[in-house]
Amino acid sequence: MKEVLVLTTGGTIASTKTENGLAPGLAAEVLVSYFERRPGVNLSVENVMSKDSTNMQPEDWVEIAERIQAHHQAYDAFIVTHGTDTMGYSAAALSYLLYGFDKPVVLTGSQVPLGMAETDAVRNLHDSLTFASQTDLQGVYLVFNGLVMAGTRAVKTKSKSYDAFESINYPYIASVSEGNMVPFYQPEPETPVLTPSINLDTKVFVLKAFPGLTVDIFDYLAANMHGVIIESFGNGGLPFERRNLIPGVEKLTAAGIPVIITTQILEEGQDIYLYEVGKRVADAGGITAGDMNTEAIVAKLMWVLGQTRQLETVRTLMQTPIAHDLDFV
């Protein structure tokens, strides 16, 4: 008998109508009743929290991870039901917080609440159970609309459609339908590079570059943040004419604050040395994030800073593939 624990956290999948709009309110015992029962699979359920995922915070990621770790010996697989708006962040965060975890952890949710007409929730629950109970893979995954994605690669790209999530810069792991799983890709095992840690440093800031961005923002960042992520243009470029942002990157780096450079472009990653506007950023100390997505970078930087603030060690760890989050820098 395979033992599977469902951990509920709220989200659209558990929402009901209120005078202020949809809000989580469905009891965990009711939610788990929508799962399709399978021979050889025993389902248990435990409520962790009940919140719209817009309100999900790093402390909540830690609570979910601790709950899963506490039940490690008793269960063979875990399913976390979660709101879609920040599920990509939570999937990435759990991938790091549960680094080295030797059982599958599956996140799923829905675009339409359980109990409503044309809900996608029932299918996603069934598919998540299929994958959780049949896979031999370890680690964190997201199951949505019949597709399985690595937890560090899933990004929400649509606000209403059922196919809300895509696997960015990484193959889909499998497809799932009507109780059957079709494997697509077998991730290569990773050599552990860190002792598992559940600490996070939340003093991280994401700055989106745009034409006209003031250089004064770097004074605030230097005084208040432990790590900065800049969503640059194209392949990693930042302006150095008129509003020159390069001295801001140098200032942060000199203060021992890592500056992670990603791109606003969703797919294909970046080549920071391709153009002068990118090479200047790298020469100023910017740490290229290759083909990682912002959700994973945020979670990984908090996790890495929770273990060390030594700049070169942070650089090394951010550019080391962990939980399949990175293919190239």
Side-chain angles (χ1 to χ4, degrees), residues 236-256:
L238 294 175
F240 61 81
E241 295 179 355
R242 289 205 175 182
R243 297 171 182 86
N244 183 1
L245 302 185
I246 305 304
V249 176
E250 293 174 335
K251 178 176 184 176
L252 293 174
T253 301

Side-chain angles (χ1 to χ4, degrees), residues 11 37-38 47 60 64 96 126 148 164 174 180 182 193 238 250 257 282 310 319:
R37 301 298 168 167
R38 308 284 175 82
N47 180 62
D60 298 320
I64 297 167
Y96 302 119
H126 291 176
V148 182
N180 297 308
V182 179
V193 295
L238 294 175
E250 293 174 335
I257 300 170
Q310 205 285 322
Q319 295 185 335

